[in-house]
């Protein structure tokens, strides 16, 4: 089996190695989704059904989109992203058509991933949905998920969706939400979003791992104290830590420019251990 992280991606998008503090999640995903994406015929050949959908939930900025993109890059799958609120904003009938088109494209280019951001915007519990249109969108989404994936025949023999090249396809749907409880329970049953991953706000240890990844390619002095930063950033999610690192870098560049009155060639700034200097400066 090919280990995730060891394959070359055909673009420069994020890989598993770019995600900090999620080792257990990544190990789990390796077996549950990377293997079926890489070997779409494996599960059907054993009479098994691979994961149809993954529901990622957690606060904004905790890495849901990053994770979805990394799964695509690790597996080489085609990646289609839609933002659910945009879908509902269309005129009646348009949204269902968009969903059908999207899944049809995903089926044609399988193995593929359909990533639906803010899925609660279209897939809220149906009894809460006021508008007829929204109910139809949820139904359409479920139909597409059922059709584009291996489905159970009444006699429980497994059927595989066949792709134009005659090989079994695999379309993985990944939904992201900050409000998992608002989702229609029909979407959370096996065969639809049958794998749920909760990405909470990171604790100190996880923040340290995220910071290590985010500063991996930065020029830091050997004794740079990431532990201290991890300790002093409670409540920060990955997106906040990313912004912190970039802000620190920007400050370091600014300090060098202002203090040296723009005398320095750009190379000497690039060679500075800039993040450490910026952080130290902020503290005093
Ligand atoms: P939203 O709910 O607002 O869409 P999200 O959960 O999808 O947010 P992302 O967009 O994936 O969050 O994360 C934003 C950025 O934060 C990422 O591009 C990355 O730079 C950084 N980030 C988040 N989590 C991690 C992590 N675990 N490791 C490394 N970087 C991270």
């Amino acid at each position: 089996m090919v280990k995730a992280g060891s394959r070359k991606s055909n673009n420069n998008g994020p890989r598993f190695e770019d995600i900090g503090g999620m080792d257990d999640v990544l190990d789990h995903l390796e077996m549950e989704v990377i293997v079926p994406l890489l070997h779409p015929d494996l599960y059907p050949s054993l009479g098994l059904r691979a994961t149809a959908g993954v529901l990622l939930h957690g606060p904004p900025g905790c890495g849901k989109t990053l994770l979805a993109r990394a799964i695509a890059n690790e597996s080489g799958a085609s990646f289609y992203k839609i933002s659910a609120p945009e879908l509902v904003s269309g005129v009646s009938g348009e949204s269902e058509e968009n969903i059908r088109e999207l899944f049809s494209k995903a089926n044609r280019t399988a193995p593929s991933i359909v990533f639906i951001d803010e899925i609660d915007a279209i897939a809220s519990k149906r009894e809460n949905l006021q508008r007829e249109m929204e109910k139809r969108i949820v139904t359409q989404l479920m139909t597409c998920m059922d059709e584009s994936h291996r489905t159970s025949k009444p006699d429980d023999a497994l059927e595989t969706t066949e792709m134009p090249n005659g090989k079994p396809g695999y379309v993985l749907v990944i939904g992201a939400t900050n409000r998992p409880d608002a989702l229609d329970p029909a979407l959370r049953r096996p065969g639809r979003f049958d794998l749920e991953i909760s990405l909470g706000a990171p604790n100190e240890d996880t923040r340290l791992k995220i910071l290590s990844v985010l500063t991996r390619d930065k020029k830091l002095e050997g004794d740079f104290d990431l532990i201290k930063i991890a300790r002093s950033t409670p409540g920060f999610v990955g997106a906040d830590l990313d912004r912190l690192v970039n802000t620190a870098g920007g400050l370091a560049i600014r300090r060098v420019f202002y203090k040296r009155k723009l005398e320095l060639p750009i190379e000497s700034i690039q060679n500075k251990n800039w993040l450490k200097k910026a952080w130290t400066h902020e503290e005093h």
Side-chain angles (χ1 to χ4, degrees), residues 18-20 22 59-66 117 178 210 214 238-239 242:
D18 301 312
I19 302 179
M22 290 193 203
C62 68
K64 301 183 289 297
T65 310
L66 176 71
D117 204 8
N178 308 326
I210 296 174
L214 292 173
D242 186 46

